[in-house]
DNA sequence: CACTGAGCCTGCTAGC
DNA sequence: TGCTAGCAGGCTCAGT
């Protein structure tokens, strides 16, 4: 599913192709794909306008129009945003799942495919865009995401670490894949209470989050099934995954202990019980 | 504040 | 072989 590295890759592939194009038409094949405003108002807001760039905040793609307005696209689970100049093979292949289409100047098009129909498109006024961007937590690859900042974010919070990492208002862009990978690499159990994690493991978590995301961006994302870049190619980070998606009982890549599967915050999690010990300091032993 | 569960969706697969 | 129940999960909203 698209997380920060996948959305960033889509942004990088689309930005040079979309910049300077004018939106000439919009077609909506699944009404709920357009979150807001109404179809008529959406069309009124975007048609005839020129795309000035493509930005990203957390897992949100922002197709920028003049003066700070933007079209936001959230891919959620299976969304794909593909640029096409006519005969893109990947687009033809997935045409049954086309949910929306932007007709662009010069005969090009921007196609939104989404098998599961969870993805959402919206128009944001400059004010709405600014407000939305403020609501997200820090970008983990930005310079201001330091060990100190992560330490402050975790201190005094009694929540379990994994749901905390998945909370986009706490830290932006992590999803189930990279959260599991980062916790494994840092040797932290997903149920661990955030404020009980020691300084050494916080530093390890910080390094793991940044290192794993950086590598995944360089490899253009993780393609397990649906994810594609803005030009229809697969990512290459899937071969780097250590634990995500590993079947229960398969050996830990580091120590060989059988991996466990558990549900944390209603999401499947893969854990090595040896490398990721669960220490409950404030609870009596059963 | 923190947590839980429902709902949105369809393709895939394990199990019969 | 063919069917079906259950699973995958990002995000929002309602309720405790």
């Amino acid at each position: 599913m698209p997380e920060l590295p996948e959305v960033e890759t889509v942004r990088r592939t689309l930005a040079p192709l979309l910049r300077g194009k004018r939106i000439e038409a919009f077609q909506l094949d699944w009404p709920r794909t357009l979150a807001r405003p109404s179809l008529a108002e959406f069309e009124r807001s975007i048609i005839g306008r020129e795309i000035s760039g493509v930005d990203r905040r957390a897992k949100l793609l922002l197709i920028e129009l003049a003066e700070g307005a933007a079209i936001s696209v959230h891919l959620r689970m299976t969304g794909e945003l593909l640029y096409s100049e006519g005969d893109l093979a990947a687009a033809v292949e997935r045409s049954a799942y086309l949910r929306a289409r932007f007709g662009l100047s010069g005969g090009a098009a921007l196609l939104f495919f989404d098998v599961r129909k969870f993805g959402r498109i919206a128009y944001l006024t400059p004010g709405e865009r600014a407000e939305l961007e403020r609501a997200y937590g820090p970008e983990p690859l930005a310079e201001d995401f330091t060990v100190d900042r992560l330490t402050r974010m975790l201190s005094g919070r009694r929540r379990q670490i994994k749901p905390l990492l998945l909370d986009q208002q706490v830290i932006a862009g992590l999803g189930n894949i990279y959260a599991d990978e980062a916790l494994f690499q840092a040797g932290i159990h997903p149920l661990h209470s955030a404020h009980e994690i020691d300084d050494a493991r916080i530093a390890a978590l910080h390094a793991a989050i940044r290192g794993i995301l950086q590598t995944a961006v360089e490899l253009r994302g993780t393609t397990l099934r649906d994810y594609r870049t803005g030009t229809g190619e697969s990512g290459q980070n899937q071969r780097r995954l250590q634990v995500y998606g590993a079947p229960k009982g398969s050996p830990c890549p580091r120590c060989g202990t059988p991996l466990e599967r558990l549900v944390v915050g209603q999401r499947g999690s893969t854990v090595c019980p040896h490398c990721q010990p669960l220490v409950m300091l404030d609870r009596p032993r059963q």
Side-chain angles (χ1 to χ4, degrees):
Chain A
M1 60 239 69
E3 305 179 24
L4 186 154
E6 290 73 34
V7 180
E8 176 61 21
T9 302
V10 173
R11 186 198 72 74
R12 290 182 182 186
T13 48
L14 289 180
L17 297 169
L18 295 184
R19 196 173 296 123
K21 292 280 194 308
R22 210 160 43 81
I23 300 173
E24 294 181 341
F26 179 70
Q27 165 195 322
L28 184 63
D29 295 329
W30 182 255
R32 297 183 66 131
T33 294
L34 181 63
R36 68 192 153 84
S38 67
L39 178 57
E41 202 177 325
F42 183 74
E43 288 180 331
R44 221 169 22 244
S45 304
I46 66 160
I47 289 181
R49 298 188 70 177
E50 187 179 309
I51 297 171
S52 58
V54 184
D55 199 4
R56 179 192 61 76
R57 180 77 171 98
K59 302 174 194 169
L60 206 61
L61 276 165
L62 296 161
I63 298 167
E64 300 178 297
L65 308 173
E67 287 142 23
I71 298 166
S72 69
V73 179
H74 200 306
L75 304 174
R76 294 281 181 96
M77 307 295 296
T78 58
E80 298 169 49
L81 200 56
L82 293 183
Y83 176 84
S84 168
E85 277 181 346
D87 57 349
L88 187 63
V92 174
E93 189 184 304
R94 299 186 83 64
S95 56
Y97 304 116
L98 184 68
R99 308 303 179 200
R101 178 186 184 280
F102 296 86
L104 305 174
S105 50
L110 183 64
L111 308 171
F112 183 69
F113 299 91
D114 190 7
V115 171
R116 300 273 291 276
K117 300 176 177 173
F118 283 5
R120 292 293 180 262
I121 296 171
Y123 173 75
L124 304 175
T125 65
E128 289 168 338
R129 178 184 175 185
E131 190 184 345
L132 191 70
E133 293 204 44
R134 265 198 306 276
Y136 285 110
E139 286 287 332
L141 292 180
E143 277 185 22
D144 62 356
F145 182 68
T146 59
V147 176
D148 275 358
R149 186 151 185 199
L150 181 62
T151 303
R152 273 182 270 120
M153 283 160 53
L154 302 189
S155 71
R157 308 194 81 140
R158 309 183 77 84
R159 289 175 75 178
Q160 297 164 338
I161 184 65
K162 184 167 173 185
L164 195 77
L165 293 180
L166 293 175
D167 186 338
Q168 302 298 299
Q169 303 198 31
V170 174
I171 177 170
L174 287 178
N176 209 32
I177 296 175
Y178 298 109
D180 263 17
E181 293 294 313
L183 288 170
F184 172 74
Q185 193 176 114
I188 299 169
H189 197 284
L191 292 173
H192 215 301
S193 186
H195 72 295
E196 289 175 355
I197 298 172
D198 60 58
D199 288 348
R201 281 206 171 86
I202 293 177
L205 179 61
H206 177 265
I209 290 170
R210 286 176 65 102
I212 286 166
L213 292 178
Q214 189 58 53
T215 299
V217 169
E218 283 161 16
L219 292 175
R220 310 181 85 213
T222 298
T223 297
L224 296 175
R225 184 179 302 279
D226 299 283
Y227 159 70
R228 294 289 182 277
T229 72
T231 46
E233 292 115 25
S234 297
Q236 294 302 322
N237 191 66
Q238 52 279 9
R239 57 190 159 89
R240 297 296 188 98
L241 300 182
Q242 298 280 294
V243 290
Y244 178 83
K248 177 187 172 192
S250 58
C252 167
R254 189 185 297 149
C255 75
T257 301
L259 295 173
E260 291 176 358
R261 293 271 302 164
L262 55 152
V263 177
V264 183
Q266 290 149 212
R267 248 151 275 167
S269 305
T270 308
V271 184
C272 172
H274 178 258
C275 296
Q276 296 166 271
L278 179 57
V279 194
M280 305 290 264
L281 296 179
D282 60 351
R283 288 190 202 170
R285 212 178 272 262
Q286 291 282 327

